[in-house]
Amino acid sequence: MALTIEDIRAKQRKISISGIAPPECVNNIKNNFNKHLHFTLVKDRQNATARDYFFALAHTVKDQVCGRWIRTYQHHHRMDSKNIYYLSLEFYMGRALTNTMVNIGISKECDEAMYQLGLDIEELESMEEDAGLGNGGLGRLAACFLDSMATLGMPAYGYGIRYDYGIFEQKIEHGWQFEEPDEWLRFGNPWEQARPEYVLPVNFYGRIGQDENGKKWVGCQTVYALPYDTPIPGYGNNTVNIMRLWSAKAPKSFNLQVFNDGSYLQAVYDRYLAENITRVLYPNDSIFEGRELRLKQEYFLVSASLQDIIRRYKGGKNFDYERVSFVAFPEKTAIQLNDTHPALAVPELMRILLDDEGLTWEEAWQIVVDTCAYTNHTLLPEALERWPVSLMQQLLPRHLQIIYLINHLFLEKVEEKWPGDVDRKRRMSLVEEGGGKSINMAHLCIVGSHVVNGVAKIHSELLKTSIFKDFYEMYPERFQNKTNGITPRRWLLMCNPTLASLISQRIGEEWITNLDLLRNLEPLASEKAFLRRLIQVKQENKQKFACYLENEFNISINPSSMFDVQVKRIHEYKRQLLNCLHIITMYNQIKKHNPNDFVPRTVMIGGKAAPGYYMAKLTIKLINNIADVVNHDPDVGDKLKVVFLENYRVSLAEKIVPATDLSEQISLAGTEASGTGNMKFMLNGAITIGTLDGANVEMREEVGEENFFLFGMTVEEVENLRKEGYYPRKYYEENADLREAIDQINSDFFSPEEPGLFRDIFNNLMFSDHYCLLKDYSSYIECQHRVSELYRNPLEWASMCLRNIAASGKFSSDRTIMEYATEIWGVDPSGIKLLAPHEESNNIED
Ligand code: 26Q
């Protein structure tokens, strides 16, 4: 290998200290760092570990955040403007150290300080655990949104759950996935601030009745919600917002009954059961499972957050405690529901306004609808939440009663509009029959919100014509599109510093907060000198990733091969198996023809399977077995290499995205709501091979069809094919290469030791193939040929990469959030820049 990891780091260091850090700041950081090492960690340089150094630096950085945090709160209170609340069961934050340093503008100083102390800052950064409180796209989107809202200076709060265990750690053994618990809090979390003084009660079970105070819900079990705050720094504006995560705590009196009976030990043990509510993130991505504990989590988040929101409303500058009024609530409050997971916000806010605040139904309902908005993230029927009425009746009897009332009044409106249309009422009802009654949470969200949005143009259109068609006919004005985005801070500035500085050298730094400016790179697409530098940057990133694989996993890859990458959750609709069919086809080509004609590739696939998802787990095993055969075949050499990337997560994405040449976005058209990984690759100069699905459609629109490798059916073609009847066998019979690949899977070519291992994959493809892999195979293979041909010409390839970077501006989450702000929340982000604490005349005391 030409370069070692040390060479690359030394080179990158030269770039990163091109601006000189002021010595007084550097000294200050060194002093604080030493102070934390001594007083917070009680270590000296003799016995401190890399982890100790990470914690010392994290505390040093957090100290710099506190003043800005307090000032932001003061500013927002003074302004008394509308607050935005983003309710989500998932916030997939990843690591915070580098992001915090970058956003508050002290990364150069910290680099220099650690250098002077003889420490390797990258090694310290690598000690941080990912905050893995998410599954995939939906959770990562929430994290990108928090960054953008802070950067736009908006008074915004993320509300979520502080899971003791985040998304499981994926281990691969003999090719199979195993799950290990993610003990992310084991060494402590330097960023969070517990706020026990703001603890709130959350009630469960009980029954409907009337107590002495006129309460309608009595005899409940109470669990406390303890808030933990994490700072969310905006980029370069001295704003620090809050993400507030709730942790379950049993009240002291919990199960006092049992205690009085003398079973003290049982009572203490039961406290632990109550606290299980926030124990673990459900690891299903896009699969609904109706577990009671999950419903408890959803209500726990909603109940605690709404109490907190109302407390803040009542603490507002102009709130009149003598004459409590909620008329202004929607003017001061926007609540965004991240999918249906926090749908209970609708009946819970109704319950509070009716039972606790004494409003009439009509008053309360208007407030709820004007305040709430709902984002849908999927069309897949198996992902839609439908909670059994029997379960709701037990756990939340008052809410069920309110939902029935909402439904009754809603169906009256439907009857008014379409008299006698019984079937329509059945389709639109919040209560569904069949196999026991259940509540359709998406219907509840649509009826209880003033806006419903999809997450990419094509997805938002499909919502209106398919699953929510009836609702669109009823409330056309409610339906909007908000195409997803990603934060350019984490996904370029931070994860790809060499590309970021190459860009800044040419067009300045303003792109960091105005990503549309990347368009100014377009003229450089024909400038050979610049393209060569772009190639060089990509090559270094690839080499660095190759070093990482070598050091961490003892895997060696050829850094001059094309890095062909598909990283995302493993799911049938995302079609990792189509990628497998291509790999097998390439392998067969190499074996049959002169391998010297073959453009070398390293195909990397990564992602977690939900622990109970059999087909996804079998797919991982197949990828690993294919890798075994391909990588050990001497005829293949370093022409083709297959790697399964273990434990794909945010921090691994930050390493692989900058090193990727080809981004695989190959879902069946109409199944991927948006995708956001696709955007990360585009921003980092990868070229996409993809279908007309989700945000791919808009990426292609932005970059031009000549700069996007398109294949596969359109949504319309899928619909027509399904109508006329899809017979996968036909494509198997028509195409010899496809047949060969499928036969190899079935005839144990990849499982000689375990005959029949992949039979279920074979049967699934041949006799069902719900996601039409066989139909799209030939156009995929043909498209991959064109990709390889282009890769032979490095300058042409680089030119296309650059055009992709230049066209990626639309996919900044800043743009997405601006659209939510103006078109859903009715606020105009100030974009204000606050002064840093040390820049103000008076300090923390006021
Ligand atoms: C629901 C109930 C019970 C247990 C789990 C769930 C559950 C959890 C997570 C259901 C769905 C999810 C996650 C969905 C998701 O990540 N969707 C993705 O959202 C992205 C952001 O909008 C899109 O880019 C992706 O296309 C979409 O798949």
Side-chain angles (χ1 to χ4, degrees), residues 572-599:
E572 286 160 284
Y573 83 82
K574 294 176 188 283
R575 303 203 292 191
Q576 280 90 0
L577 285 175
L578 183 57
N579 195 341
C580 289
L581 291 174
H582 174 236
I583 297 171
I584 298 171
T585 304
M586 285 191 291
Y587 174 74
N588 293 336
Q589 296 293 320
I590 292 172
K591 296 289 279 186
K592 276 183 227 161
H593 302 108
N594 181 1
N596 292 327
D597 294 341
F598 188 81
V599 177

Side-chain angles (χ1 to χ4, degrees), residues 6-18:
E6 283 72 33
D7 297 333
I8 296 166
R9 286 197 191 162
K11 207 164 168 181
Q12 292 188 339
R13 231 186 85 72
K14 266 188 225 144
I15 299 165
S16 76
I17 58 167
S18 55

Side-chain angles (χ1 to χ4, degrees), residues 598-649:
F598 188 81
V599 177
R601 288 203 195 206
T602 302
V603 184
M604 294 183 260
I605 303 178
K608 292 173 182 174
Y613 190 168
Y614 167 72
M615 267 298 170
K617 285 188 149 175
L618 193 57
T619 300
I620 291 176
K621 174 64 174 163
L622 177 62
I623 297 165
N624 281 307
N625 280 22
I626 293 173
D628 240 16
V629 170
V630 172
N631 300 347
H632 291 114
D633 190 327
D635 294 349
V636 174
D638 65 358
K639 293 287 170 195
L640 180 61
K641 183 110 195 176
V642 181
V643 177
F644 185 85
L645 296 171
E646 194 169 319
N647 202 28
Y648 177 65
R649 62 199 183 283

